[in-house]
Amino acid sequence: MNLERPFAHASRNHYLSVARDAAIYRQGERATCWYEVASGIARICQFHSDGRRQVTGFAVRGDVLGIERGIRETAAEALTTMRLVRHDLSDSTVALPPSGPLQEGDSAWERALRASHESLALLGFPKAVQRVGAFLLLMMRRLESGTRLELPMPRIDIADHLGLTMHTVSRAFSELARRRLIELQGPHHVRIVNLPELVAFTGADMTEVVPRGHQLVA
Amino acid sequence: MNLERPFAHASRNHYLSVARDAAIYRQGERATCWYEVASGIARICQFHSDGRRQVTGFAVRGDVLGIERGIRETAAEALTTMRLVRHDLSDSTVALPPSGPLQEGDSAWERALRASHESLALLGFPKAVQRVGAFLLLMMRRLESGTRLELPMPRIDIADHLGLTMHTVSRAFSELARRRLIELQGPHHVRIVNLPELVAFTGADMTEVVPRGHQLVA
DNA sequence: CGGGGACTTGATGGTTGTCAAGAAATGTGG
DNA sequence: CCACATTTCTTGACAACCATCAAGTCCCCG
């Protein structure tokens, strides 16, 4: 499938810079290419007919952006200045090494699917504080920034990502800070003070338990 | 990539039957193959260390099941007796024609990604009744069964899929029935009585609005 | 230094989860 | 095929949580 040159030096691929707040692609367009994020962060979102806006993900270094055929179901916008690698739709070979939970040898589809599952997992947490906590832990892994997190997105984006309101997200940050699990140095600068306790409090140790199952199929 | 024989007659692929309640694969195993659903319905779920169970999806005819490499992050169980097509991991060519929102010419990864996005969209609805309504509409499309829906999964599975409790799901069904949008003939047999009103009430017309955007990248 | 947007926080009402009980459906053995 | 037992589903009451409305504060940038 894509076994040869797993990390090809994207010779035919366009590298491009994107300014903060620029649209990378729009919802409703016909997809002609997809991107890899070399640096910076993008917000991927979906606008619904009832007025809701759903942020389906944040794309960071190594993430695949806008891989789909036909009409785009999401829009992507740069939250910071970014560097992207543009790929043709017929190509599903990633050019950049993975970051965070991604793996070497992934195809682009595989990476996109993994990211989608991570977003699903976040929405599975029943309470707001847990969702926000899990979001911080996920971002820490994905940004590979240690315990000092720089989150360029506004609260409303986090809210629309986690299925909450801006207010509830803000309260969750405050509660995590009150419990001395994180420290807020300005709204966009979070320091994770007590990682193990944050993991425990959130319930997000991300290790799964094998269930007692029935007989296997073969 | 996968342009030749988009719907190959899966000659090297195994067809297999699965009994109701049988495990198709387990969480924590190493993935060795993936499946397509030829008939029946499977539940895909993820068990978390804090005891939660998240149903990440239901796989119906045409859906791709368990396409991932390395350790499986989900388990799959048959809700009904099923027929599956087993594929090698090196193969990403689907054998079955699409159903519902899927398209001809999809690769397996593409189908899996689409299904994942549909689940994400469901969790985006802010209220329980809307989520349940949107779930019914989605199932109607995917099962291609007209307005008479046979839902083999128990309420708890729907709840774990939508991020709700069994009780709330049950109340939502009751409310939709009270409003004469659906009719319940037994817990697993739903008839959609007033499709346009259900769509309107749910806010799930699934057509998106193009947002006013900034300048485009290129 | 001043203005405007983003963020935080408080008060309140609506929605959902929890606890508990009862009704309906399903499966089993006679 | 029917009676019974068990599971699943529904419904009610109450508590917890979150969205909404409304100020007030902080931050950023001109």
Side-chain angles (χ1 to χ4, degrees):
Chain A
M1 178 176 114
N2 64 326
L3 297 178
E4 60 285 324
R5 46 169 224 138
F7 291 112
H9 245 88
S11 39
R12 322 188 297 99
N13 300 318
H14 280 151
Y15 277 80
L16 56 120
S17 292
V18 181
R20 186 172 179 275
D21 286 332
I24 298 165
Y25 56 83
R26 293 217 180 85
Q27 187 172 345
E29 286 179 346
R30 176 160 293 278
T32 59
C33 62
W34 59 274
Y35 304 90
E36 269 180 282
V37 178
S39 69
I41 305 190
R43 161 185 68 216
I44 307 159
C45 50
Q46 195 165 16
F47 296 85
H48 298 272
S49 54
D50 56 2
R52 276 179 304 123
R53 187 192 70 153
Q54 192 171 5
V55 174
T56 59
F58 297 104
V60 305
R61 169 167 182 85
D63 281 340
V64 160
L65 203 50
I67 189 162
E68 58 195 321
R69 294 190 302 162
I71 300 302
R72 292 204 183 279
E73 297 184 345
T74 60
E77 291 150 340
L79 281 162
T80 64
T81 60
M82 301 183 71
R83 303 246 331 135
L84 301 177
V85 184
R86 189 207 312 226
H87 289 261
D88 202 76
L89 262 185
S90 59
D91 178 25
S92 67
T93 306
V94 291
L96 297 168
S99 102
L102 305 176
Q103 296 180 2
E104 298 229 348
D106 286 349
S107 75
W109 291 106
E110 207 166 344
R111 281 199 189 177
L113 185 58
R114 234 187 276 270
S116 183
H117 278 125
E118 285 180 346
S119 294
L120 260 181
L122 280 183
L123 291 167
F125 287 90
K127 294 191 198 181
V129 192
Q130 298 176 315
R131 268 185 243 182
V132 172
F135 171 74
L136 291 176
L137 290 168
L138 180 59
M139 278 320 225
M140 193 182 73
R141 282 199 310 166
R142 298 186 57 181
L143 292 170
E144 295 179 319
S145 59
T147 57
R148 292 190 117 83
L149 278 178
E150 198 63 39
L151 300 172
M153 68 290 285
R155 292 285 188 266
I156 185 81
D157 286 354
I158 302 177
D160 287 348
H161 185 46
L162 301 179
L164 303 167
T165 62
M166 185 197 349
H167 311 270
T168 304
V169 170
S170 181
R171 279 184 242 270
F173 272 95
S174 299
E175 174 165 358
L176 292 174
R178 204 176 316 119
R179 289 176 180 268
R180 308 280 172 201
L181 302 176
I182 66 172
E183 218 171 68
L184 287 167
Q185 291 139 1
H188 299 289
H189 190 175
V190 179
R191 201 167 70 85
I192 293 177
V193 178
N194 195 333
L195 181 54
E197 286 247 16
L198 179 57
V199 170
F201 179 69
T202 299
D205 76 16
M206 309 253 161
T207 62
E208 289 94 5
V209 170
V210 180
R212 60 118 188 79
H214 310 264
Q215 97 212 29
L216 210 51
V217 145
Chain B
M1 176 175 118
N2 63 326
L3 297 179
E4 60 286 324
R5 46 168 225 139
F7 292 112
H9 244 91
S11 39
R12 322 188 298 98
N13 298 319
H14 280 150
Y15 277 80
L16 55 120
S17 292
V18 181
R20 185 171 178 272
D21 286 333
I24 298 165
Y25 56 82
R26 293 218 179 83
Q27 187 173 343
E29 286 179 345
R30 175 160 294 278
T32 59
C33 63
W34 59 274
Y35 304 90
E36 269 180 282
V37 177
S39 69
I41 305 190
R43 161 183 69 216
I44 306 160
C45 51
Q46 195 165 15
F47 296 84
H48 298 271
S49 54
D50 56 3
R52 276 180 304 122
R53 187 192 72 154
Q54 193 170 6
V55 173
T56 59
F58 297 103
V60 304
R61 170 169 181 84
D63 282 340
V64 160
L65 203 50
I67 188 161
E68 58 195 322
R69 293 190 302 161
I71 299 302
R72 291 205 182 278
E73 297 185 346
T74 59
E77 291 150 341
L79 281 163
T80 64
T81 60
M82 302 184 71
R83 304 246 330 137
L84 301 176
V85 185
R86 188 207 314 228
H87 289 261
D88 202 75
L89 262 184
S90 59
D91 177 25
S92 69
T93 306
V94 290
L96 296 169
S99 104
L102 305 175
Q103 297 179 1
E104 297 230 347
D106 286 350
S107 74
W109 291 106
E110 207 165 343
R111 283 199 188 177
L113 185 59
R114 233 186 276 271
S116 183
H117 278 126
E118 284 180 345
S119 294
L120 259 181
L122 280 183
L123 290 167
F125 287 90
K127 295 192 198 181
V129 192
Q130 298 177 315
R131 267 185 245 182
V132 172
F135 171 73
L136 290 177
L137 290 169
L138 180 60
M139 278 318 223
M140 194 182 73
R141 281 199 310 167
R142 298 185 56 181
L143 292 171
E144 295 180 318
S145 59
T147 57
R148 293 190 115 82
L149 280 177
E150 198 64 37
L151 300 171
M153 68 290 283
R155 292 285 188 265
I156 185 78
D157 286 353
I158 301 176
D160 288 349
H161 185 46
L162 301 179
L164 303 167
T165 62
M166 185 194 357
H167 310 270
T168 304
V169 170
S170 182
R171 280 183 244 270
F173 272 96
S174 298
E175 176 167 357
L176 292 174
R178 206 176 315 118
R179 290 176 180 268
R180 308 279 173 201
L181 302 177
I182 65 172
E183 218 171 70
L184 288 167
Q185 291 138 1
H188 300 289
H189 190 177
V190 179
R191 200 167 71 85
I192 294 178
V193 179
N194 195 332
L195 182 55
E197 285 247 17
L198 179 58
V199 170
F201 179 70
T202 299
D205 76 16
M206 309 253 161
T207 62
E208 288 95 5
V209 170
V210 180
R212 60 117 191 79
H214 310 264
Q215 97 212 28
L216 211 51
V217 144

